[in-house]
């Protein structure tokens, strides 16, 4: 016991390194945090066994595989992938086999195989070996059924009683190894060998195995770790001092460098070929038992715990980190430099620390800081081994390594943001009130008359020995004593610059108090033209340093990690890659002698051991892990045809292999036939409402914004079969029935139409006759109505409106043909006396008789109309203005004989007023008006006479 304690004290602990861990708990899909085993299958999926089911990692979260997938056991005791790629799941209630998504129970007619917890499944020569109730069983397929039988019969058990207590089983492809009682058994064919203490296997419960790449077989028990080299006759002692772990889960895995990792009492142990190195709570591991380990094909170390879920060691073997728990003086870190003796100096918030060349554990640095010094903002290693240190509070000191003393060289009157030592050994201080330079004797204000009293943040020296300074006032250059204010064009501002880097070819990169990174090429002039670097991630980052390493790669630290540019590709490095913290310290960049990179953050420092491994991340692969229709999982297929899919939603579960730690991972997908544009989402499940019948192709690719890496697009054809009534046979049958129906209906309709045609012919003939009769009647009625509307009801002469219309037409005709036209306005003399003496009926009879006489007297081309009362208007065309006989005939026809009517005999005369058409007459009323004047003159001159309109109205 005392020897174990002594050896434990001698075991080196990795106190110098902080592990960057990603934690997977309930928020990442695990419903239980007790993990028993971790397995990666041939496709790259990672599975974790828990006490509440089997879970698979899809690149984002863990998804439970349960009863819907055919796996009904909850306590997963063991998991194994055989040589054919099948997954075997051992539970407390039975054994299952499947492809990772769909499982079936392995049963016989007599029993269901329960599996003991631990390494209890192995395959060899097409058979599965299972430890159940401490016995070794063989499971093999027989057609569509399974056969199970004990590997050792009663005779073998009686001969070797240790075979009745099997504690584990392992196959290396040729040999079967298993723990038997307190021994280690080896079975080759039917040849059994039991290893014992003289052969390097002490009595213990042997539970775990590993066949390393160099052929070495590692075996472990709670107290011992032994290794059998190829061709060896005995196991070598590689015991972990003080090991006392009583559990069935003691995984051993091998990393890329052939180092073995396994559980320690209170953490993780790693064998480096000579000794064990322990990682525990001092490195950031939780104080909890480790039950499972997996080093996957993407160089990620998975750690299964008992009570804390699954952990990932991010940046394993690529990065090393230190925090205050590992000895750093404080955080954040602002400056890093390596002294000539190999010691790494780290300047931080409260002072600084030094890290020995073996990267063991930081220690307080040896210099004695000034009493009021605060925040180390600059470090510079001098060739003689000394170290220059500048504090934000203004103190500039030099540590003399040989004497171990500290000398204060100067004190800046303003806070110091950065320090630059030029090729001549002058020390430049960028302060919050201008620039200062220390020439080895005194600190002086620099750039008098040019450099303003404002904040300066960065200083760089170009290949020509010129110094450049950036700050709130803009960009300045010092060229052999000549100061120049360099005006920057193309950027959002000509000032407010923060950090910069000048490359050996003269290219310059600038950042400022505005978004983005800007690139230009320096010249000897006073103007610098820059262009924006297209980088969305940098546009959203506050940049804290820009530096180029000896490879020519660009490193840019900011508020969201580190951007790395190798001249062709951008790559963001964050906590997902193993960076200890994403908030980077200002100017906290250092390139070491071996090309590795040190980055300071606000929560410690990170050492990029192999930067080249970061620039080319592992390729991404998107996978459609499962397809469900209406909530029912479908068997894996290269394409799907769904019948009766109406009203059933479609769900696709996506997964990504190759980037298991990326929190920023996205999917870009679309369903051709439904969507034209790509959809971007960080969810691994895609849901579609019930799809219409048709052909669709689901396309998906995984995208990592940090590496700008897009996986190849994978396609999944999906055919939604229409319901039976929309399918081709049903449609053809419907068309045929429809055509037959149309033909039948057409025949019936034709017969009906013929019958109706005959009936219609009779009706049309009858109706035609009726219409002809109606038409004749209508025409007669229309003529009568027209005559009634245009003629006087008493005399039958055209009425006033009609005679005026006839007059207008006659005037137009006379003027067009240059013919004379006359009107005669005739008034019966003393007609009122007839009405008064003989009555109106007698008057009407006289008026009728007078109208008849006048009509008979006029020529055929003249028209007579009743103008009003007893006045009658005659329109007489083609009458010479010198001929009065037609008008006199009118007067005589009235006066020549008495009128009789209604028993009365009346003597009657008439007066006639005549007017001929004149050029000045505008219308018929002008002509009638002159005739009326003539009529009036005839009446006032004694009546019974004809008067012609003219000067003085001539008598006829």
């Amino acid at each position: 016991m005392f020897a174990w304690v002594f050896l434990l004290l001698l075991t080196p602990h990795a106190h110098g390194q902080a592990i960057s861990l990603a934690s997977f708990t309930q928020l990442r899909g695990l419903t239980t945090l007790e993990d028993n085993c971790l397995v990666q299958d041939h496709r790259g999926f990672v599975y974790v066994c828990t006490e509440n089911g089997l879970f698979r990692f899809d690149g984002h979260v863990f998804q439970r595989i349960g009863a819907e997938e055919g796996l009904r056991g909850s306590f997963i005791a063991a998991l194994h992938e055989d040589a054919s790629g099948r997954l075997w799941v051992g539970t407390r209630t039975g054994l299952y086999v499947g492809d990772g998504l769909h499982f079936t129970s392995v049963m016989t007619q007599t029993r269901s195989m329960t599996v003991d917890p631990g390494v209890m499944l192995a395959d060899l020569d097409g058979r599965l070996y299972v430890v159940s109730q401490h016995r070794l069983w063989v499971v093999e397929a027989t057609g569509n059924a399974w056969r199970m039988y004990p590997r050792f019969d009663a005779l073998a058990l009686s001969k070797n009683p240790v075979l009745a207590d099997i504690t584990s089983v392992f196959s290396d492809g040729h040999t079967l190894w298993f723990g038997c009682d307190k021994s280690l058994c080896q079975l080759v064919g039917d040849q059994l060998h039991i290893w014992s203490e003289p052969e390097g296997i002490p009595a213990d419960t042997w539970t775990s195995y590993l066949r390393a790449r160099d052929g070495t077989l590692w075996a472990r028990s709670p107290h011992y770790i032994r290794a059998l080299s190829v061709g060896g006759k005995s196991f070598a002692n590689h015991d972990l001092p003080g090991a006392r772990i009583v559990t069935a889960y003691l995984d051993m895995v091998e990393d890329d460098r052939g180092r073995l990792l396994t559980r320690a009492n209170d953490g993780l142990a790693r064998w480096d070929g000579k000794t064990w190195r322990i990682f525990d709570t001092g490195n950031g591991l939780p104080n909890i038992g480790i039950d499972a380990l997996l080093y996957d094909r993407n160089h990620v170390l998975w750690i299964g715990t008992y009570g804390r879920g699954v952990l990932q060691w991010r940046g394993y073997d690529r990065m090393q980190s230190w925090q205050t728990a590992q000895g750093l003086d404080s955080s954040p870190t602002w400056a890093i430099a390596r002294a000539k003796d190999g010691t790494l100096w780290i300047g931080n918030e409260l002072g600084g620390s030094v890290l020995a060349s073996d990267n063991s554990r930081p220690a307080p640095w040896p210099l004695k800081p000034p009493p009021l010094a605060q925040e180390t903002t600059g470090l510079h290693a001098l060739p003689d081994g000394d170290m220059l240190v500048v504090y934000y509070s203004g103190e500039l000191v030099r540590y003399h390594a040989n004497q171990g003393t500290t000398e204060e060289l100067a004190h800046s009157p303003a806070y110091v943001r950065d320090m630059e030592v030029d090729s001549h050994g002058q020390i430049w201080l960028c302060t919050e009130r201008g620039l200062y330079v220390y020439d080895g004797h005194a600190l002086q204000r620099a750039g008098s008359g040019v450099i303003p009293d404002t904040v300066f943040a960065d200083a760089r020296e170009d290949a020509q020995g010129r110094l450049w300074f950036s700050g709130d006032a803009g960009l300045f250059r010092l060229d052999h004593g000549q100061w120049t204010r360099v005006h920057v064009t193309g950027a959002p501002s000509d000032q407010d610059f923060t950090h910069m880097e000048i490359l050996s070819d003269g290219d310059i990169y600038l950042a400022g108090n505005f978004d983005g990174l800007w690139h230009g090429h320096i010249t000897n002039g006073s103007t610098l033209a820059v262009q924006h670097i297209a980088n969305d991630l940098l546009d959203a980052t506050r940049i804290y340093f820009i530096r180029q390493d000896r490879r020519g790669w660009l490193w840019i630290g900011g508020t969201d990690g580190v951007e790395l540019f190798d001249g062709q590709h951008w790559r963001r490095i964050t906590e997902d890659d193993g960076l200890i913290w994403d908030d980077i310290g200002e100017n906290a960049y250092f390139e070491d002698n071996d090309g590795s990179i040190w980055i300071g953050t606000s929560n410690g420092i990170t050492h990029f051991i192999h930067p080249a491994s970061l620039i080319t991340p592992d390729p991404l692969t998107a996978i459609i892990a499962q397809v469900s229709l209406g909530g029912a999982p479908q068997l894996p297929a290269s394409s799907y045809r769904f019948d009766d899919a109406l009203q059933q939603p479609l769900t696709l579960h996506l997964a990504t292999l190759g980037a298991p730690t990326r929190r920023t991972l996205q999917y870009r997908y679309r369903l051709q036939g439904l969507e034209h544009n790509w959809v971007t989402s960080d969810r691994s499940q895609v849901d579609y409402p019930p799809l219409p019948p048709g052909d669709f192709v689901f396309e998906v690719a995984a995208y990592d914004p940090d590496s700008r890496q897009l996986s190849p697009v994978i396609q999944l054809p999906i055919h939604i079969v229409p319901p039976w009534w929309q399918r081709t046979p049903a449609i053809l049958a419907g068309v045929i029935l429809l055509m037959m129906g149309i033909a039948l209906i057409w025949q019936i309709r034709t017969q009906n139409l013929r019958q109706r045609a005959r009936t219609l012919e009779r009706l049309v003939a009858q109706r035609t006759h009726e219409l002809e009769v109606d038409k004749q009647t209508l025409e007669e009625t229309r003529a009568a109505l027209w005559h009634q509307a245009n003629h006087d009801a008493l005399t039958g002469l055209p009425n006033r409106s009609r005679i005026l219309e006839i007059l207008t037409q006659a005037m137009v005709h006379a003027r067009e043909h240059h013919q004379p036209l006359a009107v005669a306005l005739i008034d019966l003399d003393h007609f009122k006396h007839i009405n008064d003496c003989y009555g109106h009926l007698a008057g009407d009879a006289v008026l009728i008789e007078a109208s008849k006489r006048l009509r008979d007297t006029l020529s055929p081309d003249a028209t007579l109309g009743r103008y009003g009362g007893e006045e009658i208007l005659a329109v007489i065309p083609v009458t010479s203005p010198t001929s009065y006989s037609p008008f006199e005939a009118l007067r005589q026809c009235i006066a020549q004989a008495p009128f009789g009517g209604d028993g009365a005999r009346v003597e009657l005369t008439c007066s006639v007023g005549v007017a001929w058409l004149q050029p000045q007459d505008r219308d018929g009323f002008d002509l009638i008006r002159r005739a009326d004047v003539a009529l009036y003159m005839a009446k006032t001159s004694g009546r019974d006479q004809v008067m012609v309109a003219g000067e003085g109205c001539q008598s006829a």
Side-chain angles (χ1 to χ4, degrees):
M1 178 67 183
F2 293 106
W4 275 16
V5 172
F6 177 73
L7 290 173
L8 182 62
L9 293 175
L10 292 180
T11 302
H13 283 59
H15 294 300
Q17 185 175 354
I19 298 174
S20 179
L21 293 172
S23 179
F24 296 86
T25 57
Q26 290 93 339
L27 294 178
R28 302 295 289 274
L30 288 179
T31 58
T32 182
L33 305 183
E34 289 77 19
D35 309 320
N36 302 329
C37 60
L38 285 162
V39 171
Q40 185 175 36
D41 67 12
H42 64 282
R43 294 175 296 177
F45 282 113
V46 172
Y47 298 83
V48 56
C49 317
T50 76
E51 295 184 2
N52 189 33
L54 180 66
F55 292 81
R56 188 179 73 173
F57 189 64
D58 66 5
H60 286 271
V61 297
F62 280 96
Q63 294 182 334
R64 192 174 191 272
I65 300 173
E68 289 186 352
E69 291 77 26
L71 185 61
R72 299 186 179 277
S74 58
F75 188 103
I76 309 300
L79 181 66
H80 173 72
E81 184 180 39
D82 65 19
S84 63
R86 293 179 297 186
L87 275 176
W88 296 85
V89 184
T91 75
R92 291 285 183 88
T93 57
L95 177 66
Y96 295 83
V97 64
D99 59 2
L101 282 177
H102 302 86
F103 291 87
T104 57
S105 176
V106 179
M107 300 179 62
T108 65
Q109 296 180 350
T110 58
R111 62 169 295 169
S112 173
M113 176 73 69
T114 63
V115 180
D116 296 349
V119 182
M120 303 302 182
L121 300 171
D123 70 292
L124 182 65
D125 298 331
R127 299 180 178 86
L128 182 74
Y129 292 85
V130 183
V131 179
S132 176
Q133 299 178 350
H134 296 275
R135 299 287 298 276
L136 185 62
W137 291 77
V138 180
V139 178
E140 59 184 16
T142 57
N144 295 325
W146 299 97
R147 176 182 175 224
M148 303 180 187
Y149 57 90
R151 176 61 182 84
F152 303 109
D153 56 18
L155 180 62
L157 294 178
S158 63
K159 184 177 180 181
N160 295 293
V162 296
L163 299 179
D165 185 13
I166 307 301
T167 58
S168 60
V169 64
F170 170 76
S171 169
D172 59 9
H174 305 284
T175 304
L176 201 66
W177 299 83
F178 51 93
C180 46
D181 193 16
K182 298 297 181 180
S183 303
L184 177 62
C185 291
Q186 178 185 12
L187 185 65
V188 181
D190 290 328
Q191 298 297 317
L192 177 68
H193 178 75
I194 302 174
W195 294 77
S196 60
E197 179 73 36
E199 299 168 298
I201 298 296
D204 205 354
T205 302
W206 295 91
T207 62
S208 306
Y209 311 89
L210 172 70
R211 178 68 76 176
R213 288 191 296 272
D214 64 359
T216 300
L217 176 72
W218 292 79
R220 174 156 194 196
S221 70
H223 299 91
Y224 307 105
I225 299 177
R226 301 298 166 98
L228 179 66
S229 60
V230 178
K233 300 299 183 181
S234 64
F235 282 82
N237 183 343
H238 294 311
D239 296 345
L240 183 62
R244 58 185 189 284
I245 307 165
V246 182
T247 178
Y249 301 102
L250 292 171
D251 273 358
M252 294 182 291
V253 297
E254 184 182 19
D255 67 15
D256 291 328
R257 296 169 60 184
R259 296 172 298 184
L260 185 77
L261 293 107
T262 188
R263 175 180 174 176
N265 290 340
D266 300 305
L268 186 65
R270 186 173 69 190
W271 175 256
D272 62 6
K274 295 182 179 179
T275 185
W276 291 99
R277 190 176 185 89
I278 305 298
F279 301 89
D280 53 20
T281 55
N283 305 99
L285 284 175
N287 186 18
I288 198 72
I290 295 175
D291 284 346
L293 292 171
L294 170 67
Y295 191 78
D296 72 14
R297 293 195 290 271
N298 300 110
H299 324 288
V300 176
L301 179 63
W302 300 74
I303 303 172
T305 71
Y306 190 79
R308 295 290 182 87
V310 175
L311 306 175
Q312 285 181 352
W313 183 333
R314 298 179 296 196
Y316 175 82
D317 208 32
R318 298 184 182 186
M319 300 184 191
Q320 296 174 324
S321 297
W322 289 263
Q323 298 175 295
T324 54
Q326 288 76 44
L328 279 186
D329 178 77
S330 62
S331 292
T333 295
W334 307 111
I336 308 170
R338 188 174 292 281
K340 184 178 180 181
D341 64 358
T343 302
L344 189 76
W345 287 58
I346 305 164
N348 49 43
E349 185 78 8
L350 300 180
S353 306
V354 291
L355 185 64
S357 57
D358 62 358
N359 294 344
S360 55
R361 181 179 177 86
W365 59 12
L367 66 78
K368 182 179 180 181
L372 301 179
Q374 55 179 317
E375 296 185 31
T376 305
T377 56
L379 290 170
H380 181 77
L382 296 173
D384 59 3
D386 291 356
M387 183 68 67
L388 289 174
V389 181
V390 66
Y391 294 90
Y392 177 70
S393 49
E395 297 86 356
L396 175 63
V397 302
R398 178 170 182 166
Y399 174 72
H400 296 278
N402 291 334
Q403 295 82 16
T405 59
T406 303
E407 175 189 5
E408 184 170 354
L409 303 179
H411 193 293
S412 168
Y415 293 127
V416 179
R417 299 286 297 272
D418 190 25
M419 174 179 65
E420 174 75 9
V421 180
D422 65 21
S423 56
H424 301 289
Q426 295 186 109
I427 304 171
W428 296 86
L429 303 181
C430 297
T431 79
E432 295 187 356
R433 296 184 60 185
L435 296 174
Y436 288 83
V437 59
Y438 180 76
D439 59 2
H441 303 284
L443 186 68
Q444 297 177 353
R445 179 67 183 272
S448 177
V450 178
I451 301 299
D453 190 15
T454 58
V455 175
F456 279 81
D458 207 354
R460 306 300 290 166
E461 185 175 8
D462 65 20
Q464 301 177 35
R466 299 177 297 185
L467 290 170
W468 297 74
F469 303 90
S470 59
D472 288 357
L475 185 64
F476 295 84
R477 182 183 65 221
L478 177 60
D479 185 3
H480 298 90
Q482 181 67 39
W483 287 95
T484 302
R485 164 76 159 90
V486 178
H487 297 279
V488 179
T489 62
S493 174
D494 188 27
Q495 51 190 9
D496 292 326
F497 296 113
T498 54
H499 298 88
M500 64 177 172
E501 174 65 312
I502 300 176
L503 280 53
S504 58
D505 60 0
D507 281 1
I508 184 172
Y509 289 89
L510 282 171
N513 293 317
F514 39 81
D515 294 341
L517 180 68
W518 302 81
H519 170 250
H521 189 83
I522 60 176
T523 64
N524 295 325
S526 60
T527 301
L528 173 66
V530 297
Q531 291 182 334
H532 178 251
I533 298 295
N535 188 317
D536 293 340
L537 297 181
L538 282 180
D539 288 344
T541 298
R542 173 75 176 183
I543 296 176
Y544 288 146
F545 67 72
I546 310 169
R547 292 294 180 264
Q548 185 188 40
D549 65 16
R550 66 189 62 174
R551 289 173 289 262
W553 295 0
L554 207 62
W555 298 75
I556 303 172
T559 54
D560 301 297
V562 177
E563 281 285 317
L564 178 59
F565 182 61
D566 67 349
Q568 293 183 335
H569 305 98
W570 288 98
R571 173 82 159 90
R572 170 158 287 190
I573 312 299
T574 66
E575 290 182 74
D576 287 342
D577 302 283
L579 189 65
I580 197 61
W581 200 250
D582 284 346
D583 185 42
I584 307 303
E586 190 167 9
N587 297 318
Y589 166 91
F590 175 71
E591 183 180 8
D592 218 332
N593 299 327
D594 58 0
S596 61
I597 303 296
W598 296 80
I599 301 291
T601 76
S602 58
N603 193 28
I605 62 171
T606 295
H607 183 204
F608 291 70
I609 305 173
H610 307 293
S613 66
L614 301 172
I615 201 65
T616 54
D618 295 319
L620 295 177
T621 301
I623 291 178
I624 302 174
Q626 188 180 61
V627 177
S628 299
L629 183 68
Q634 307 296 308
L635 293 174
S638 58
S639 64
Y640 288 92
R641 173 189 171 93
F642 294 123
D643 294 328
D644 301 325
L646 298 180
Q647 306 306 317
Q648 296 190 67
L650 179 68
T651 301
L652 300 102
H653 296 274
L654 310 178
T656 302
L657 304 178
T661 63
R662 305 237 66 85
R663 293 171 295 178
T664 58
L665 192 65
Q666 299 174 349
Y667 291 102
R668 294 181 177 178
Y669 63 86
R670 66 180 177 183
L671 185 62
Q672 287 195 33
L674 181 68
E675 299 166 316
H676 178 71
N677 297 323
W678 292 88
V679 178
T680 299
S681 174
D682 58 1
R683 296 182 67 248
S684 57
Q685 178 174 311
V686 180
D687 299 301
Y688 287 104
L691 298 176
D695 292 311
F696 304 90
V697 178
F698 182 75
E699 296 181 313
V700 64
Y703 178 67
D704 175 20
D706 287 345
S707 64
R708 287 74 165 176
Q709 183 183 191
L710 184 68
S711 74
V713 176
I714 60 172
Q715 295 183 329
L716 180 66
I718 299 173
H719 178 63
I720 305 296
V721 180
W724 67 267
W725 62 87
Q726 294 182 6
R727 300 177 190 175
T728 301
I731 293 174
L732 290 176
V735 170
I736 293 172
L737 290 175
L738 179 61
M739 293 176 65
M740 293 175 63
I742 291 173
L744 179 61
I745 293 172
W746 179 260
Q747 185 177 4
I748 296 173
R749 181 173 176 80
T750 300
Q751 294 177 354
N752 291 336
L753 288 176
R754 289 173 180 171
Q755 181 64 34
R756 290 181 63 186
R758 290 191 291 269
T759 303
L760 186 59
E761 287 176 356
R762 293 194 301 270
L763 293 174
V764 167
Q766 180 181 349
R767 183 59 178 162
T768 301
H769 176 71
E770 293 174 352
L771 289 175
E772 289 176 351
V773 174
D774 291 344
K775 179 181 178 182
Q776 183 178 358
T777 304
L778 179 61
E779 289 176 350
E780 292 173 354
T781 303
R782 183 181 300 166
L785 290 175
W786 183 88
H787 187 272
Q788 182 180 357
N790 291 278
H791 291 76
D792 181 52
L794 180 64
T795 64
L797 296 177
N799 58 19
R800 178 186 177 92
S801 61
R802 177 58 182 161
I803 196 60
L804 291 175
E805 182 181 346
I806 293 172
L807 174 59
T808 301
Q809 295 172 355
M811 292 175 65
V812 172
H813 182 270
R815 283 175 171 163
E816 287 181 350
H817 296 83
H818 305 287
Q819 295 176 352
L821 176 68
V823 297
L825 191 59
I826 306 165
D827 184 72
L828 299 178
D829 296 333
H830 303 294
F831 185 76
K832 182 176 184 299
H833 175 74
I834 296 173
N835 287 331
D836 293 341
C837 294
Y838 301 103
H840 286 284
L841 291 177
D844 290 345
V846 170
L847 188 58
I848 293 171
E849 178 65 21
S851 299
K852 181 177 182 303
R853 292 181 184 181
L854 292 172
R855 186 167 54 242
D856 292 343
T857 303
L858 284 173
S859 61
D861 57 349
T863 304
L864 194 67
R866 187 176 180 182
Y867 188 68
E870 66 274 16
E871 289 184 344
I872 297 173
L873 181 65
V875 178
I876 306 170
V878 197
T879 299
S880 174
T882 61
S883 176
Y884 300 105
S885 58
F887 312 111
E888 182 61 27
L890 292 175
R891 183 191 67 79
Q892 290 177 2
C893 76
I894 297 298
Q896 67 182 1
F899 287 83
D902 199 37
R905 188 175 179 80
V906 181
E907 295 287 342
L908 188 66
T909 62
C910 68
S911 298
V912 180
V914 179
W916 268 275
L917 179 63
Q918 300 294 329
Q920 66 270 20
D921 293 332
R922 296 187 302 274
D923 52 30
F925 290 105
D926 289 344
L927 192 56
I928 293 172
R929 191 177 299 110
R930 290 191 289 107
D932 187 58
V933 172
L935 176 62
Y936 177 76
M937 295 298 296
K939 283 186 173 293
T940 57
S941 299
R943 294 184 174 83
D944 191 22
Q945 59 181 315
V946 177
M947 295 294 291
V948 179
E951 295 183 4
C953 289
Q954 303 173 8
S955 176

